[in-house]
Amino acid sequence: MRCWLIKSEPSAYSWEDLVRDGRTSWDGVRNPQARNYLQRMRRGDRCLYYHSNQGEEVAGIARVVRRAYPDPSSADPRWVAVDVAPLPTLTRRVPLSELRTHVATAAMVLVRQSRLSVCPVTTVEFRAVLKLAAAPVEP
DNA sequence: GCCAACGTTGGC
DNA sequence: GCCAACGTTGGC
């Protein structure tokens, strides 16, 4: 099982939208590097669900329920989509600013290469984010 | 709203 | 095939 991070602007499609829908097609990716990562995803892989632009935080965890297939939103067969479903909502969301400050998460691709909409996450990073998501807010 | 970091396009 | 110009993303 591998770990990834997928980005969405909450005004376009938020974590709440995914929870409401129960499952969605992760399509519309038009960046070659992000596409390569989509193709490497397998059923059961975990995805940090990140809100870009508004929020700038890990808003939830999703799992891959269908591996890469031709993106229905494109006539070009080179672009692919996967399907994802939500896992139970996090106790606490983890803002980007916090990921920057922790040693275990400061080197995440998300932090270093902000424009990539799909990126890999190491299992160490993934566990660190989960830990931060479960931690109570500092007083 | 600005700008840095990329990616893409097109002239040469 | 190089690179300048331009467009887009996303943090700040």
Side-chain angles (χ1 to χ4, degrees), chain A residues 40-73:
Chain A
R40 284 168 53 191
M41 288 185 184
R42 295 294 178 267
R43 188 178 159 83
D45 282 0
R46 297 294 190 258
C47 300
L48 300 176
Y49 196 101
Y50 180 80
H51 279 171
S52 60
N53 282 322
Q54 301 137 35
E56 294 174 31
E57 61 192 2
V58 175
I61 311 290
R63 70 194 167 89
V64 176
V65 293
R66 184 183 172 189
R67 61 190 279 183
Y69 57 95
D71 186 338
S73 73

Side-chain angles (χ1 to χ4, degrees), chain A residues 5-9 13-15 18 23-30 34 38 41 47-51 62 64 66 68-73 79-85 117-118:
Chain A
L5 181 142
I6 56 178
K7 282 185 190 177
S8 183
E9 294 191 30
Y13 194 84
S14 68
W15 170 253
L18 180 61
R23 174 178 178 141
T24 198
S25 170
W26 203 259
D27 58 14
V29 170
R30 297 291 182 267
L38 282 182
M41 288 185 184
C47 300
L48 300 176
Y49 196 101
Y50 180 80
H51 279 171
V64 176
R66 184 183 172 189
Y69 57 95
D71 186 338
S73 73
W79 300 119
V80 298
V82 298
D83 287 358
V84 296
S117 63
V118 179

Side-chain angles (χ1 to χ4, degrees), chain A residues 1 4 6 9-10 22 24 27 32 39 41-42 45 54 58 84 88-89 101-102 108-109 111-113 126 128 134 139:
Chain A
M1 185 191 81
W4 311 92
I6 56 178
E9 294 191 30
T24 198
D27 58 14
Q39 282 174 329
M41 288 185 184
R42 295 294 178 267
D45 282 0
Q54 301 137 35
V58 175
V84 296
T89 298
T101 66
H102 288 87
M108 288 177 71
V109 176
V111 175
R112 304 172 75 119
Q113 202 177 334
F126 188 80

Side-chain angles (χ1 to χ4, degrees), chain A residues 86-137:
Chain A
L87 289 169
T89 298
L90 298 172
T91 305
R92 190 181 155 256
R93 295 184 173 193
V94 185
L96 175 63
S97 58
E98 202 168 315
L99 296 177
R100 288 187 193 282
T101 66
H102 288 87
V103 179
T105 52
M108 288 177 71
V109 176
L110 170 75
V111 175
R112 304 172 75 119
Q113 202 177 334
S114 65
R115 284 193 50 201
L116 198 55
S117 63
V118 179
C119 53
V121 174
T122 69
T123 51
V124 172
E125 290 164 349
F126 188 80
R127 284 200 205 101
V129 173
L130 285 189
K131 198 172 168 186
L132 292 171
V137 182

